[in-house]
Structures are given as C-alpha cells and as structure tokens.
Amino acid sequence: MLMLPQDLKEAAKIERRRKFEEERRGRIFNARNRLIGIDKEALEKQIKEKQLRDQEERKINEAYEIQRIKEAELASIIERRIEEERRKINEEINRFRATYQKPETRREFDLYDPDALKKAIPCRVHDDDPRCGISSAQKFEGEDLAGKERAKYQIEQNRAWLEQQIAERRAADEERKAAQIAYDEAVLAMDKRACELDRMEQECRRRLKEAHQQFNKVLAEEQAHERRLEAVRELEDNQAEIYNFVTGDFLCENRDVALSNLGSKRVIGYLYKGMTQDELQEVRKVQLKQIAERKRAEEDEAHMNAQWDEVANGMAQHAFLLERELLEKQREINKQILGQNKQLSAQQKSYQEYVEKILYTNKPTAAYFEQFNTSTR
C-alpha cells in the first residue's frame, strides 16, 4: 500500500493523540495522586486559627522575654552598684594604709630595712679615720698597707719578664731562621762544600740545642721562684686570717660592736649578739599592743562582713520575690491559654457535630459512585 506524505502526517497525529490519552488515563485513574471529598474552607479556617494561635503565643513569649531582660538588667545594675561600693571601700582602705601606715613610719623599721647596710657607714673609711682609735680593733701592726703598690710593682715585674721572654723568643726565632737559611745555602752548594755543610749543620744544631736548654732553664727558675712567692703569700694570709678570727669581735662576744653610728637604738645586723631583758620586755609590750589592734581589726572586719551578708540576703530576697512574681504571671498566661484551648475544643466539637448530624446527612448510594471513572473526558 502506497503511503503519501499527507497520510504519514495523519498517522503521526493519531499516534500522538493515542499516547497522550494513555498518559492522561494513567494520571486520572491513579488513586495515589487523586484527592476527593476534602473541605477546602475548613482547612483554610483551621490554618488561620493555627496562625492566630501562633501569633498569640509569639506575643506572649515576646512579652515574657522583654520582662526577663528588664529583670536581668535590673539585677545587673544592682550587682554593679554593689561592686562599685565594695571597690570604693577597698580603695579607701588602701589609701589610708598608703598614707598613715607606711613601713618607714614604724618603730621597728630599722630592724628589717633593706637599705640598712647601704645607709651604714663602714667601720674604717681610711687609715687616718679618727674613729679608729687604739681599742677600735680596726687597725693592726703588720697590716699590708702597701698592698696596692706591691701589686702594681708585681704587675710591672711580670710585664718586664714577659717582654724579656718575648725578646728571647724573638732572638731564638731569628737564630732559627738564620740556621735554616744557612742550611738551605749548604744544600745548594752540596757538590762543592759537602764537608763544610756537615760541619755547619752540626754547629747549627748545637747552637739551637743550647738556646733551647738555656730558655727552658730560665723558665724553670722563674716558675720555681713564682711558686715560692705564692707559698709565702698564702702562709702570711692564713696566719693573718687565723689571728683575725681569734682576736675578732665574733669570738669575743662583744655586744658594743653591734651599736650603729646612726643612733643609740640602731644596731648592725651581722654583729648583733641578741637582745637584753629590757629589750625583750619592750618587744613583748609591742606584741601585746599589736595583738589588741589585730583583734580590733578582726572585729571591724566581722562587722563589715555581717553588713555585706545583710545586703546580699536582701538582694537574694528581692530576686526571690521577682522570680515568684514571674511565676505567677506565667501561671496566669497558662490559664489563659488553657481557657482558649478549651474554647477552641468546644468549637471544634460543635462543628464536628454539625458536619456529622446536619451537613452530611444525605449519604450517597453505590450508583452515585459507579458513574465516575468510566471515561477520561
């Protein structure tokens, strides 16, 4: 059979309609995608009622949040005021201590003054100090008063010895260089002066050996002399130290050496031998006075702590009252919400009875349902 282009177009149109009808039938007769018998107005009404309830609940929550923020701000302001008052009191206490209770104004400050040694005058300033009398035990016969001059002389002597050693070492180096030159010249003239070279070499070695021996001998003598001087100095220092310890104020238990030149009540710490009975009684009196002052300060502190506890209790009671007031307000709000829920429940129940007993009384028969889904048009 011959198919014309017009026939092909008609056949394509028919096939396209047939496929569209099958797809439409599948969509219409699909029970999962079809909705029948829904009350749109009731659904919209329920949505609006839910939105109204959400708005009311949101307003209640916002009012509760605003009230909570106000109460928190009030509590924060009260707490800041308390902290400010406490800070002012502490500043006044510190200012009073810094003004009227300085360590320098205390009677016993000289006992623990960190600059006591700096303020004290040495027992012996120089050799002609008028305070160093016969019984001062600060100046003795046989002292090494020329120690600085002797040390200076020793330094100069060491310098002279070092210069002498350097000169000798330089001379030895020059002789060694000369010998090396002579040796080199002898090697160059070996064919002509073999015997003379051997003699010159032996002479050079002998002179070098003698120079080394002389240098080592002088160095050994200097070291031995230095050791003897060091031993003599150490022996003299040890004897002087033993004599100073034996005749010193520390072993003699002399109380007068502890008296300071700055006043009759001042003492030198490292020479102090202990307090007398009068001083001990005076210290005991001061300690009893300090104990009484400490007890009075503790009573004042206890009184202040009691005042602070009273203020804190007042704040706690005020916060408790505020919290109870907020709970009462929350209970009232919950009662209002409960009443609204009961009213909504009664309305919904009456509407349900209206739908079941009045609106949907005409029940459809089977013939009514059989007329549907017979065609897609």
Side-chain angles (χ1 to χ4, degrees):
M1 181 178 180
L2 183 60
M3 298 292 293
L4 298 176
Q6 187 68 27
D7 297 333
L8 293 175
K9 290 182 180 179
E10 291 295 332
K13 289 181 179 179
I14 293 170
E15 183 65 23
R16 187 165 55 254
R17 291 195 193 100
R18 187 180 62 78
K19 288 183 179 180
F20 179 75
E21 183 68 19
E22 289 179 357
E23 292 177 357
R24 189 166 182 272
R25 184 184 296 274
R27 288 195 305 272
I28 292 174
F29 290 101
N30 190 354
R32 296 181 63 183
N33 298 329
R34 186 175 66 252
L35 300 177
I36 301 175
I38 295 177
D39 191 355
K40 184 178 179 181
E41 295 181 357
L43 291 176
E44 291 178 352
K45 184 176 180 181
Q46 291 178 359
I47 291 170
K48 290 180 180 180
E49 291 176 353
K50 185 177 181 181
Q51 290 177 354
L52 291 175
R53 287 197 304 271
D54 293 339
Q55 290 178 0
E56 292 294 332
E57 187 176 357
R58 193 181 302 110
K59 289 180 181 179
I60 292 170
N61 292 331
E62 289 177 355
Y64 179 75
E65 185 66 20
I66 291 170
Q67 185 67 23
R68 186 188 65 78
I69 291 171
K70 289 181 180 180
E71 297 296 337
E73 290 177 353
L74 178 60
S76 177
I77 291 170
I78 294 172
E79 185 177 0
R80 283 200 299 270
R81 288 180 180 176
I82 293 173
E83 292 294 333
E84 184 67 21
E85 291 295 331
R86 185 174 296 173
R87 185 182 63 78
K88 288 180 180 180
I89 292 172
N90 291 331
E91 287 179 356
E92 291 294 333
I93 292 172
N94 292 331
R95 191 179 299 111
F96 177 81
R97 289 174 179 173
T99 304
Y100 301 103
Q101 295 181 351
K102 295 181 179 180
E104 295 82 1
T105 59
R106 298 176 183 175
R107 187 183 306 171
E108 65 278 4
F109 178 69
D110 57 339
L111 297 179
Y112 55 87
D113 187 3
D115 298 330
L117 295 178
K118 297 179 181 179
K119 297 176 181 178
I121 300 175
C123 297
R124 177 181 175 183
V125 180
H126 49 79
D127 293 340
D128 299 332
D129 194 343
R131 297 176 299 163
C132 298
I134 297 175
S135 61
S136 62
Q138 295 295 325
K139 185 177 180 182
F140 302 97
E141 293 297 334
E143 282 188 311
D144 190 10
L145 300 178
K148 294 183 179 178
E149 288 77 5
R150 189 182 68 255
K152 183 177 180 182
Y153 173 75
Q154 289 175 355
I155 292 172
E156 292 178 355
Q157 188 179 15
N158 291 332
R159 187 183 295 111
W161 289 346
L162 182 61
E163 291 177 355
Q164 183 180 359
Q165 291 176 4
I166 292 172
E168 292 176 355
R169 179 65 63 84
R170 188 180 293 113
D173 292 339
E174 291 176 357
E175 291 179 358
R176 189 181 300 107
K177 290 179 181 178
Q180 187 67 30
I181 293 171
Y183 178 76
D184 294 338
E185 291 177 354
V187 171
L188 294 175
M190 184 180 298
D191 55 343
K192 294 180 180 180
R193 300 171 56 188
C195 295
E196 184 179 358
L197 178 61
D198 184 61
R199 184 182 61 79
M200 290 177 64
E201 184 179 359
Q202 294 296 329
E203 182 67 19
C204 181
R205 291 180 182 276
R206 184 183 63 77
R207 292 175 62 185
L208 287 174
K209 185 176 181 181
E210 290 177 356
H212 281 294
Q213 290 177 354
Q214 186 66 24
F215 176 76
N216 293 331
K217 182 179 180 181
V218 173
L219 184 60
E221 291 177 355
E222 291 177 355
Q223 290 179 353
H225 180 67
E226 186 66 26
R227 285 195 294 271
R228 286 195 298 272
L229 292 177
E230 184 66 25
V232 171
R233 285 197 297 270
E234 186 177 359
L235 180 61
E236 291 177 353
D237 292 340
N238 292 334
Q239 290 177 355
E241 185 178 3
I242 292 170
Y243 179 77
N244 291 332
F245 272 114
V246 171
T247 61
D249 294 327
F250 183 77
L251 296 179
C252 294
E253 296 291 336
N254 188 4
R255 291 180 178 270
D256 296 335
V257 298
L259 298 178
S260 176
N261 295 326
L262 300 178
S264 60
K265 294 185 178 181
R266 294 178 178 271
V267 294
I268 300 174
Y270 61 88
L271 297 176
Y272 188 61
K273 301 300 180 180
M275 293 187 295
T276 62
Q277 293 297 327
D278 296 336
E279 291 176 346
L280 291 174
Q281 292 178 2
E282 184 67 21
V283 170
R284 183 58 181 169
K285 290 179 182 179
V286 174
Q287 288 178 350
L288 293 175
K289 184 178 179 181
Q290 291 178 352
I291 291 170
E293 292 177 355
R294 177 66 178 175
K295 187 179 295 183
R296 186 163 55 253
E298 290 177 354
E299 291 176 356
D300 295 339
E301 186 177 359
H303 181 66
M304 186 179 294
N305 291 333
Q307 291 180 352
W308 279 114
D309 294 338
E310 186 177 356
V311 172
N313 292 330
M315 293 299 300
Q317 186 176 3
H318 181 68
F320 176 74
L321 294 175
L322 291 176
E323 185 178 2
R324 188 169 62 183
E325 184 178 354
L326 291 176
L327 291 176
E328 291 294 334
K329 291 181 180 179
Q330 185 65 32
R331 290 194 191 96
E332 293 179 359
I333 293 171
N334 293 334
K335 287 180 181 180
Q336 293 178 1
I337 293 172
L338 181 61
Q340 291 177 0
N341 291 335
K342 288 182 179 180
Q343 185 178 0
L344 292 174
S345 177
Q347 291 177 0
Q348 187 175 7
K349 186 176 181 180
S350 61
Y351 178 76
Q352 189 69 25
E353 291 178 355
Y354 168 74
V355 169
E356 292 177 356
K357 295 180 179 180
I358 298 175
L359 185 62
Y360 295 150
T361 55
N362 187 13
K363 296 183 178 180
T365 59
Y368 175 77
F369 294 105
E370 290 176 355
Q371 66 180 344
F372 299 104
N373 294 333
T374 57
S375 175
T376 60
R377 301 292 176 182

